Amino acid sequence: MKQKQRNSRVLLIFTGGTISMTEDIHTHALVPLSYERMLQLVPEINKLDVAISTLPFTPFIDSSDVEPLFWTKLATAIYDNYAEYDGFVVLHGTDTMAYSASALSFMLGNLAKPVVFTGSQIPIGMMRSDARENLLTAIEIAAAYDEHGRALIPEVTIFFEDSLMRGNRTTKKNSEQFAAFRSYNYPRLAQAGVDIKYNTHLTLKPEAEKPLELFTKTDSNIAVLRLFPGMSQSIVNAILNIKGLRAVVLETYGSGNAPSHKWLHDALKQANAKNIILLSKTQCPVGRVAMGRYQASLNLLDAGVIAGSDITTEAAVTKLMYLIGHYGDDVATIKQRLTQPIRGEMTV
Ligand code: ASP
């Protein structure tokens, strides 16, 4: 695919994380840098044929402190600046980056421009940091348009090491290696080597004439329940009876299986009858929930559990937050939308 940089305008949004840090020479503790200092540490940025503007979210945060309100702020910043820029790069901590990228994918409807999240495993101010490569390549991707003026990757993505992945398909899989993220169930959207090779046939296809839509309402009354052998009835019941609980992401075995205990079946059935939404996703990073394949998932089917196909936990949680935030008590619509991809987050 022929790319044209056409002096794109990219907005760099700084939010914090390891990428924005350096080591204090006296205490050896990691301390945050200003965004101006960060940019000075990557002078090559000025050589890119891209007009870069900056938007620091201060104070910088460790991404462990990310909350839905932060996603609202981020999505609103992109929405407010959408007409001014061709692409957006979000510098973010790695720990919850997959949640943030998933959340943003749901919050931004009809997105026709690139929103690329990146960060680093080693602070930008330290030797051998991966920040420089990640940042420069993320900017290039955010600025990449074809000869018809269409963004090559009009989606919310994560770029890390050499891979560009759909954000809501991605999981942090390694806390030590530079390849920190992986999209297990969807091929990468681009690979950076000597050149950046774009797989444009794999991207979402926005209707360019439709305006960007912003959806920022969320509901966090969600639990994640990971099944394990020996799981106690009282704990499961306690979770399913939490006051105000709206939905549970059930992390099931293999292709969506669960123990056949009658008490579990009854508890899930009762929860479903109380309009608590039950979404099954597999504990296996690769593969999908296919309920009914084994006897061990028939009870779940009967209890009204919805199959989440190959959705990640990060996408399942944020999709539920978004759907419940927007459809409220319309449980039938929420359940229907859970069976279909909204932003390419699952395979049907
Ligand atoms: N704790 C850091 C964060 O997520 C880790 C990182 O950025 O790699 O903000």
Side-chain angles (χ1 to χ4, degrees), residues 16-19 21 61-65 92-97 119-122 160 172:
T18 297
I19 192 164
M21 297 187 150
I61 58 168
D62 186 291
S63 77
S64 327
D65 283 325
H92 191 292
T94 58
D95 289 345
T96 61
M97 190 186 289
S120 69
Q121 293 283 56
I122 301 183
F160 230 86
K172 183 173 177 182

Side-chain angles (χ1 to χ4, degrees), residues 198-217:
Y198 291 94
N199 297 320
T200 49
H201 61 289
L202 295 173
T203 66
L204 298 171
K205 301 285 174 268
E207 294 175 53
E209 59 286 350
K210 284 200 179 164
L212 181 71
E213 285 183 295
L214 180 65
F215 304 101
T216 55
K217 285 192 223 141

Side-chain angles (χ1 to χ4, degrees), residues 12 84 89 94 119 122-123 135 153 215 218 279 288 294 305 310:
L12 256 184
E84 297 300 312
V89 172
T94 58
I122 301 183
L135 174 56
I153 310 287
F215 304 101
T218 57
L279 178 64
R288 63 175 95 169
Y294 293 92
V305 175
D310 53 4

Side-chain angles (χ1 to χ4, degrees), residues 142-168:
Y145 275 65
D146 69 13
E147 56 273 35
H148 306 292
R150 283 188 297 248
L152 295 193
I153 310 287
E155 305 197 12
V156 179
T157 53
I158 290 182
F159 178 76
F160 230 86
E161 233 247 316
D162 64 348
S163 297
L164 183 75
M165 296 153 279
R166 176 170 295 161
N168 59 30

